[in-house]
Amino acid sequence: MEVLDSAGKPGSKMIVTSRIPDVVTLTKSLKPYTLQCLLPAHSSSLLTQWMQNPAELPPRLIPIRKMIAETCAGVPSLLLSASNKLKSIRKTQVAWQHVLSRFDLVFYADRLLLDAAYVSYQHLPPSIQQCFLYCSLLLVHSFTPEQLTDMFVADELIKLISSKSDMHLYFSKIMTEHFYGVVQKSRHRGNTVYKMHPGMQLLAQRISRGFHLAIDARKEIIWPSCDARCLSLLVDCETSKLPPELFELESLRTLILLRDENMLLSENKCAITDIPAEFCQRLIALRVLHMQSCRIKRIPRLIDMLQNLTYINLSHNDIEIVPDSVSNLRFLTHLNLSQNEIIELPESVGKMQSLQMLDLSHCEKLLGLHEAISNLVNLHTLNLEGCHYLAVLPKGMKNLRSLTCLNILECPLLTQMPRQMNQLTSIKILPRYIAAETPKHTISELRPLVYLKELGVQNMENSSSADARNVILQDKHKLESLALSWTGDCTDPETSSRAQEILEHLKPRRGLKVLQLFSYPGRKLPSWINSGVPYLNSLTDIKLVNLACESLPPLGQLPNLKIAEVSGIDAVTCVDDTFYGADGTFFSLEKLSFFHMPNLKTWVPSHREGLFPCLQELTIAQCPKLTAVHVKLRAVTSLIMLMNNENLIACRGSLQGLSRNLRSLSISLCEELLEHSQCEGLHELHGLEELQISRCTELISLPGGMRHLSVLRSLTITKCTKLETLPEWLKNITSLRSLCISDCPKLHIPKSLNNLSHLQIILE
């Protein structure tokens, strides 16, 4: 700072670089800019520039240069190191192929690069350094911090000294801050796909000295001669069996099958159909078995030969039968059999006294659970979400006194809770509790559950004011998430009045972070939501769906609200200052959605200064009467429009409030979008760079009105089944760099577009 004081002049600027986002808090008002990895084309170009006389490169080496650039994974320091290596060797295929096959030697030979990576390793607490080495197995993955924590604990890498939620938070920071870059998100389930920084991965492999081994099973390779303790196998859809070399690793403690990027994004399965007997007979030291997304139909009867197993994940397989021998795994704490074809579990599962986590989610054929499940006194997590045919829970559920999480979401046939749920006093996560009119199943029995962190109550119409008063939500000091839903007739005045009274009594603690209300029949919301003085100051996420309310609540005065979704409030005709509250500005809001608002006509301008300073994403879906967004939304960069928003697209000036910084527009399920549409509402979006059009089933060619998007850089068209051609005027948008087309079977791309050197066309 002394140097800055002496050398800095008024108006000087300083650039702060860091790998740790927490540094941003020290700079306070500065907004961070996150550097992403270079794109493959840019990596190859940069590697070329850094080489001497690249024009003299023999044509046969160009493909190898491209593969070396891809191996550097968009990291400039690795590209620089690789270019220095290539400049120092002969320009022959043998020499360059050697660099490609032993890229680790390039990394280890660069002392500066190695030292820089080692600093990141030393930055970790000693107790977590082993976990970092473990992460070197995960070349590409979509594990959550929770899943990683469970594996670390199962393999005795860490002890749960602090709370598990704290460990999840810590590992989340490690993944996002230190070693991983987000690749992209799955189209189907939204799972984030991660890749380890290649420098970090090479460093970890060097430090572990063969104890942690990552093998690409898609290739024919010579396995290193080492006594590996932890092994990951990278597989693809074509992988049909486990490599025989695996059975020689008799000291192996951890086996993880990793899906490659294509599998992760498509959620396809590999072709492995069984776990052979030799596997169970030879790998008896195994503690962690993770074989997700295969086509395994049955768990082998010899599974109990793997007596040291503490963790099994066989999710997303085709398993139909679970043998009795599973119950002989006396050290097993985690059993994940989700997304399988299981109809029932054997009664013997009740003998597994060490079991702490049982995941049967999305086992859609599961008919029931044996009463013996109630004997699992150490069970803390039971996940039954998406078990569509599950109609009843074991009567002895009250005996699961260690249970902290019970998830029965999306179990439509399950309409009643077991008796004496109030005895599960350790429970923290209960996203679905089914309220009933009978005295033994009212919401009153939630009162003793003082450790609840997440609570969802269904069939609120079966509750009384006395029940609501008796719950005393304000005494649940750890409650962060609350979801309440009603069913039945919302037009009955008596029902409406009673619902208002009940919700008034269900006042949560001030620290609530997530609130969701579904089909609430009251005409007014309670004072703890509608008050002119905000009560829920910690709230970050709110969802209001199918409410009978006459106006929007004053959400703008909630200081920490980041995500808001308003859906199906039929009485609302406009968005005005009522939505902002007395002096609110939606100070922290980042995402706002309006869904299914059939009578919403306009979003009127406001004289209030500083509205929505952080709002980045706006979603408008099925608002057929909405003609204009006139309020100034200067920070919004992304607009998503779904279903029946013809007026916003067609009317000039309708999106004027968004015109300043809007960069990305997505239009989906819009049957009104036609080739002759003038799209006058889009004409003022002068800075639009990305356009996505999806499931517009009547579209034959791009509307002529889109020719005004003169700075467009990326155009993506998906599942427009009648789309036949692209207009010639598209070539006049000289800024366009990427054209991605998928699931448009009738489309023919004109030659005039195919011949554009600056345009990358991707067909899927």
Side-chain angles (χ1 to χ4, degrees):
M1 293 304 295
E2 291 179 2
V3 174
L4 291 175
D5 288 339
S6 61
K9 297 179 180 179
S12 297
K13 295 181 180 180
M14 179 172 62
I15 297 176
V16 179
T17 63
S18 177
R19 198 168 37 249
I20 304 172
D22 285 348
V23 170
V24 176
T25 60
L26 301 177
T27 61
K28 295 183 180 178
S29 61
L30 294 182
K31 186 177 180 180
Y33 181 84
T34 303
L35 290 174
Q36 305 295 333
C37 291
L38 298 174
L39 296 174
H42 296 157
S43 294
S44 183
S45 174
L46 197 57
L47 184 61
T48 301
Q49 291 177 34
W50 282 342
M51 292 176 59
Q52 292 176 344
N53 302 320
E56 299 177 2
L57 191 67
R60 64 182 181 278
L61 297 182
I62 293 177
I64 305 175
R65 182 192 64 194
K66 183 179 179 182
M67 287 187 284
I68 291 173
E70 290 173 355
T71 303
C72 294
V75 180
S77 55
L78 286 178
L79 288 164
L80 180 60
S81 185
S83 68
N84 290 334
K85 179 65 178 177
L86 294 177
K87 285 188 291 187
S88 67
I89 62 175
R90 297 173 59 194
K91 290 183 175 62
T92 65
Q93 281 182 290
V94 174
W96 281 39
Q97 283 284 5
H98 180 72
V99 170
L100 182 61
S101 62
R102 291 305 311 272
F103 190 76
D104 55 332
L105 297 180
V106 176
F107 175 76
Y108 300 145
D110 192 325
R111 195 68 206 177
L112 289 175
L113 199 56
L114 190 62
D115 288 345
Y118 195 68
V119 167
S120 293
Y121 174 71
Q122 289 180 312
H123 175 72
L124 292 172
S127 58
I128 305 299
Q129 288 180 352
Q130 281 296 317
C131 299
F132 162 65
L133 299 181
Y134 195 97
C135 285
S136 69
L137 300 170
L138 312 178
L139 303 175
V140 57
H141 74 91
S142 60
F143 293 120
T144 65
E146 291 81 3
Q147 291 170 324
L148 283 176
T149 301
D150 289 340
M151 283 193 282
F152 294 153
V153 173
D155 216 3
E156 296 186 348
L157 292 177
I158 58 173
K159 302 287 186 183
L160 279 182
I161 301 170
S162 57
S163 72
K164 201 164 188 177
S165 61
D166 290 341
M167 297 302 296
H168 294 167
L169 180 62
Y170 189 77
F171 287 122
S172 179
K173 283 171 66 71
I174 287 179
M175 282 201 294
T176 56
E177 293 177 9
H178 299 286
F179 310 114
Y180 293 83
V182 177
V183 178
Q184 63 186 114
K185 291 194 173 182
S186 166
R187 298 172 188 166
H188 300 283
R189 296 189 181 273
N191 295 331
T192 301
V193 178
Y194 295 101
K195 256 189 175 179
M196 195 174 196
H197 186 299
M200 294 293 106
Q201 201 269 336
L202 290 168
L203 175 70
Q205 293 281 312
R206 180 175 178 123
I207 295 173
S208 69
R209 299 182 183 277
F211 275 38
H212 298 80
L213 194 59
I215 297 290
D216 190 341
R218 302 171 302 177
K219 305 174 182 177
E220 290 188 12
I221 62 169
I222 299 175
W223 282 50
S225 56
C226 62
D227 193 16
R229 298 292 192 274
C230 303
L231 172 69
S232 67
L233 294 174
L234 187 63
V235 301
D236 59 17
C237 294
E238 304 298 321
T239 307
S240 59
K241 62 181 180 179
L242 295 170
E245 294 89 345
L246 169 64
F247 307 132
E248 303 298 323
L249 302 176
E250 297 185 357
S251 298
L252 194 67
R253 292 168 44 130
T254 297
L255 174 63
I256 302 172
L257 254 62
L258 292 177
R259 296 168 286 171
D260 70 1
E261 286 181 49
N262 291 330
M263 286 183 67
L264 284 170
L265 297 174
S266 65
E267 299 207 355
N268 290 330
K269 299 178 179 180
C270 74
I272 296 174
T273 57
D274 70 330
I275 300 175
E278 187 179 5
F279 181 99
C280 300
Q281 292 165 345
R282 303 194 63 174
L283 301 183
I284 58 175
L286 207 62
R287 290 174 177 268
V288 173
L289 174 60
H290 186 102
M291 293 183 65
Q292 185 180 16
S293 299
C294 301
R295 299 190 180 277
I296 298 169
K297 290 202 172 217
R298 61 176 63 229
I299 298 174
R301 295 186 183 278
L302 294 178
I303 191 74
D304 57 353
M305 295 188 71
L306 303 175
Q307 276 293 306
N308 292 301
L309 276 176
T310 59
Y311 175 102
I312 294 178
N313 187 336
L314 295 174
S315 61
H316 199 209
N317 273 276
D318 300 327
I319 296 171
E320 299 172 351
I321 298 174
V322 179
D324 282 320
S325 55
V326 166
S327 63
N328 297 327
L329 298 172
R330 54 199 178 104
F331 298 120
L332 194 69
T333 60
H334 290 73
L335 179 59
N336 187 342
L337 299 175
S338 60
Q339 293 179 271
N340 274 290
E341 306 297 314
I342 299 167
I343 296 175
E344 62 177 358
L345 291 180
E347 180 181 356
S348 59
V349 169
K351 300 176 183 178
M352 303 175 71
Q353 294 300 299
S354 295
L355 199 63
Q356 297 176 16
M357 193 280 288
L358 177 59
D359 191 345
L360 299 170
S361 59
H362 302 285
C363 290
E364 297 180 357
K365 295 183 179 179
L366 186 70
L367 297 178
L369 294 175
H370 199 279
E371 280 296 326
I373 291 289
S374 301
N375 298 328
L376 301 177
V377 294
N378 290 307
L379 193 70
H380 62 64
T381 299
L382 179 58
N383 191 353
L384 301 170
E385 181 176 355
C387 294
H388 294 164
Y389 288 98
L390 183 67
V392 65
L393 292 173
K395 295 178 182 178
M397 287 281 291
K398 64 182 180 180
N399 298 323
L400 301 179
R401 303 293 175 83
S402 298
L403 202 66
T404 61
C405 175
L406 173 62
N407 186 352
I408 54 171
L409 289 170
E410 297 180 35
C411 298
L413 298 185
L414 189 59
T415 58
Q416 184 172 296
M417 304 301 294
R419 291 185 178 184
Q420 296 179 295
M421 286 289 292
N422 56 357
Q423 295 197 24
L424 301 181
T425 53
S426 297
I427 203 154
K428 298 177 181 178
I429 309 296
L430 186 60
R432 183 184 180 221
Y433 174 88
I434 307 166
E437 291 182 296
T438 57
K440 294 179 180 178
H441 297 292
T442 68
I443 59 174
S444 294
E445 69 173 342
L446 297 172
R447 181 171 180 171
L449 310 184
V450 296
Y451 297 112
L452 277 170
K453 185 177 180 181
E454 177 183 344
L455 172 64
V457 183
Q458 183 179 314
N459 297 352
M460 283 293 300
E461 68 278 3
N462 292 331
S463 302
S464 67
S465 294
D467 293 332
R469 282 195 301 268
N470 199 31
V471 173
I472 316 180
L473 286 185
Q474 286 187 298
D475 284 354
K476 303 188 190 307
H477 299 296
K478 297 183 181 294
L479 190 65
E480 294 183 353
S481 177
L482 177 64
L484 304 172
S485 66
W486 284 256
T487 56
D489 185 11
C490 292
T491 61
D492 177 14
E494 183 180 345
T495 300
S496 174
S497 177
R498 186 174 67 168
Q500 286 179 209
E501 188 177 348
I502 289 172
L503 193 55
E504 190 68 52
H505 291 314
L506 289 175
K507 184 178 182 178
R509 56 184 285 272
R510 283 182 177 273
L512 194 73
K513 294 182 178 179
V514 179
L515 176 63
Q516 299 179 341
L517 298 179
F518 299 92
S519 302
Y520 169 65
R523 293 289 182 263
K524 295 181 180 179
L525 287 166
S527 60
W528 49 271
I529 296 178
N530 258 344
S531 172
V533 179
Y535 172 74
L536 298 174
N537 285 330
S538 299
L539 203 69
T540 61
D541 191 325
I542 191 167
K543 180 182 287 190
L544 305 174
V545 180
N546 296 339
L547 274 55
C549 297
E550 297 168 348
S551 62
L552 293 173
L555 301 182
Q557 57 193 2
L558 299 175
N560 291 298
L561 190 65
K562 292 187 176 181
I563 300 173
E565 179 181 324
V566 180
S567 177
I569 306 183
D570 295 356
V572 172
T573 59
C574 72
V575 180
D576 55 19
D577 284 2
T578 305
F579 192 39
Y580 312 141
D583 55 358
T585 61
F586 281 101
F587 180 75
S588 300
L589 195 69
E590 297 174 359
K591 292 184 180 181
L592 174 61
S593 302
F594 289 107
F595 288 104
H596 309 292
M597 305 285 281
N599 296 308
L600 180 63
K601 296 179 180 178
T602 185
W603 192 342
V604 300
S606 175
H607 298 295
R608 194 170 303 190
E609 294 294 327
L611 280 174
F612 301 101
C614 297
L615 185 62
Q616 298 174 9
E617 182 178 292
L618 174 64
T619 300
I620 300 174
Q622 207 163 6
C623 300
K625 296 182 181 180
L626 183 60
T627 58
V629 178
H630 284 148
V631 68
K632 298 297 182 183
L633 302 175
R634 293 182 172 87
V636 173
T637 59
S638 176
L639 173 63
I640 300 169
M641 292 198 290
L642 302 163
M643 296 181 290
N644 199 7
N645 291 301
E646 182 182 7
N647 288 331
L648 288 179
I649 297 173
C651 298
R652 182 177 294 274
S654 60
L655 298 174
Q656 185 177 0
L658 293 157
S659 61
R660 180 170 177 175
N661 284 314
L662 195 69
R663 296 291 178 267
S664 174
L665 173 63
S666 175
I667 301 173
S668 299
L669 299 166
C670 183
E671 294 182 357
E672 299 81 12
L673 192 66
L674 304 172
E675 180 180 5
H676 60 263
S677 299
Q678 294 303 307
C679 302
E680 293 190 15
L682 309 184
H683 290 185
E684 294 179 343
L685 304 182
H686 303 300
L688 197 70
E689 296 179 352
E690 297 178 11
L691 175 63
Q692 297 98 34
I693 300 174
S694 174
R695 298 176 186 267
C696 296
T697 53
E698 298 302 314
L699 193 63
I700 296 175
S701 183
L702 286 185
M706 289 186 174
R707 69 173 71 232
H708 298 280
L709 303 176
S710 58
V711 298
L712 201 66
R713 296 183 60 85
S714 172
L715 174 61
T716 301
I717 306 175
T718 306
K719 295 185 178 179
C720 295
T721 52
K722 292 185 179 180
L723 188 69
E724 296 178 359
T725 186
L726 295 176
E728 290 289 335
W729 54 257
L730 203 57
K731 67 183 179 182
N732 298 327
I733 303 180
T734 56
S735 58
L736 193 64
R737 293 291 179 269
S738 173
L739 174 61
C740 183
I741 311 289
S742 63
D743 298 318
C744 299
K746 295 183 178 180
L747 179 64
H748 170 71
I749 298 178
K751 289 183 179 179
S752 58
L753 291 180
N754 276 318
N755 294 334
L756 295 177
S757 59
H758 64 270
L759 181 62
Q760 181 183 20
I761 300 177
I762 302 172
L763 299 176
E764 295 180 350

